Amino acid sequence: MSMEEMNLLNVSGLYTSYGRIPMLMNVSVELNEGCACCVLGANGAGKSTLVKAILGMVKADQGSIIFKGQDITSWSTYKRIAAGIQVASAATGTFTKMSVETNLKLGAYNINDPKLLAERLEEIYTSFPVLKARLNQKAGTLSGGERTMLAIARAVINKPSLLIMDEPSLGLAPIVVDEVFRIVRRLNKNEKITIMLVEQNAKKALSVSNAGYIIQKGQIIFSGDTETLKNSEFLENPVM
Amino acid sequence: MEMFSSLLVSAILMGCTYTLVAIGYCLFFGVLDVVVFCCGDIAIFGGFSIIGAYTILYSAGVLQAVPAFVAVLIMLTIAAILCAALGLIAYQFSIKPFEKSSTLMPLLSTIALGVVIKEVLGLVFQPVVNSIAAVVTSVDDPLSVVGGRNPQAMPNLIAGSGSTDERNLIIIAVTLAILIALFLFLNKTKIGLSMQAISQNKELALMTGVNVKRTITATFIIGGILLAVGGFLLSSYQTIIRFDGGAMYGSKGFSAAVVGGLKNTWGAVIGGMLLGFVEVFTAGYIPGGTQYQNIIAFLVVILFIVFRPEGIIGEKSIEKV
C-alpha cells in the first residue's frame, strides 16, 4: 500500500455488557484508512455487539473509540453517522414498506443538497443496476439478494469514511454471495472506502480483506494480516 | 331517504373527530411502540384551551377587533401550542423515565397522566374559566359533583353565520385539509420520513443517522396539534365539552386506531369513519339504539380484535424472539 497509512478507527480496551452479563471484554480493533479488515467469529461471539458499540447503539462500559482522531465514545449514534460511519447490515434490512428510491433517499440522511443527492443517486444507479429497475417497488417485495444490494447501496450513497458490513452474505445463495463480495472488493479498491467486514463466512471474507480479527466469546483471540490468518489454527476450529 | 342522508352526514362528522385522535395514537405508537393512553384527555384539554382563550380574548376585546376567521385561527394556535406542550410534558414525565422498563409502565403512567389532566381540568381550569365569563350551561348533569363542573357550552366558533350546515361543512373541510397536510408532511419532509423510518425499523433508522430524540419530540408536537384540533372539532360538533370526556373520546380514538391497524395512519382514518358509521346508524335505525351505540361500537372493535387483530390495512407482525 503506497497510501499514507492513517489510523481511521481505533477501538481500545472496550467492555460492554447486556444487563449484568458481560458481552465484550477488552476488545481492541484498529483500522487504517483504505484497508479492508474482517472480523470473524461464530454466532453469538460478539461480532454484532462490536458493530453496535462502534455505532453507539450499545453503551461502552470501559475503553475508548477513536474515529478520525476524535474520541466518539460518548457520542450518540446519529452524530457518529454524520461523522462518516455507515453500516450495511443484512440482518437489520431495509424499510420494507417504502419504495427503493425512498430507502436510498432516507439512507442519504445527511446529504441536504438536492443537487448532490441527485448526483449520488445517479452514481448508485450505475453501480447497482439491479436497483434502478426496481426504484418504485416497495423494498419488502425485493428478493434477498436485491435487498442486500439495497442495504449496501443505502450506506454507500453517503460515501462513508468507514463502511461496516455486518454479515452481508447472510442467507444468500452462493452465486449472490460472490456478487456481494465482488462489490465489497470494488468499493474498497476502486472507491477507496475503508471497510470493516463482519462475517461468519471466513473463507470469503479473507479473500477480500488485508487484515483480520477473530472474536470468540466476546474477546479478540487473534489478530493479524490475512496470510497469517489463513494459515492459523483458529480457522480450523469447527465452530468457525 | 332524508333520514339516511342526515345520518350519513353525522356519521362522517363523528368519523372526522375520531380520526384525528386515532391518528394521534398511531403517530405516538409508531415512534415509541407504546400506546399513549392520555390522547383523549389531551384533546379535551385542547377544547378547554379554546374556551379559555375565547373567554379571555373576548373579555379583552381582541376577538371583536379581528375577522371571525382570524379569531378562530388565533384560538386554534393557542390551543395547539398548549396541547403540543402538554404532549411534550407527557413524553418527558410519563414515558421517557420508563424507556428501559417494560412497555406496561408507560401504558400505566399515561393512563395516570390522563386522570391527572382530567382532574386538573375539572378542579382548576373549568371553575377559573367559568368565573371569568359566565358561559356555564344550564344543562343539568346528574354526574356533576360541584358547581362549575357541568358540561361546558362550546360556543359556535366555527361557522360565522351560526348555521349547523355551515359548521358541519367546515368540520369536514378542516379534517380533510389536515389529512392532506399530514400526508405531505409524512412523505415529503425529512422529519415526516424519519417518523415513518422509526415506525418501520427503529434499528435501521438509528443506523441511517436519524436523530431519534428530535424525531420523537417532533412527533409529540405534531400529535399535540392534531389532538388540539380534534378536541376543538369534537366539542364544536357536540356543542358541549365535559372535563371527563377524554376517557370516552380517547377509547373511541384508540379503538379506531386498532380497527385500522395501529401503525397505519390511513387505517386510522378508515377505522375512525367505520366507528362513526356504526355508532350513528345504530342510534338512527335501531329503536332505542342511542343507548346502545357505544356498546355496538365497542362490539365491532372486539370482533376486529378477535378476527383481524392486525387491523384493516395493518400487516401481521411477527414478534422475533
Side-chain angles (χ1 to χ4, degrees), chain A residues 29 32-33 49 68 75 123 128 130 134 142 147 191 223-224:
Chain A
V29 171
N32 288 331
E33 217 158 90
T49 310
K68 287 184 183 169
W75 288 19
E123 284 177 41
F128 296 88
V130 211
R134 302 252 184 275
L142 298 179
R147 243 179 279 179
E191 313 209 359
S223 65

Side-chain angles (χ1 to χ4, degrees), chain A residues 52 81 92 97 106 109 112, chain B residues 190 194 201 203 207-208:
Chain A
K52 285 186 178 166
I81 304 287
T92 311
K97 287 181 218 158
L106 248 175
Y109 194 77
N112 289 314
Chain B
K190 211 165 189 176
S194 310
N201 190 335
E203 200 174 351
M207 287 181 175
T208 304

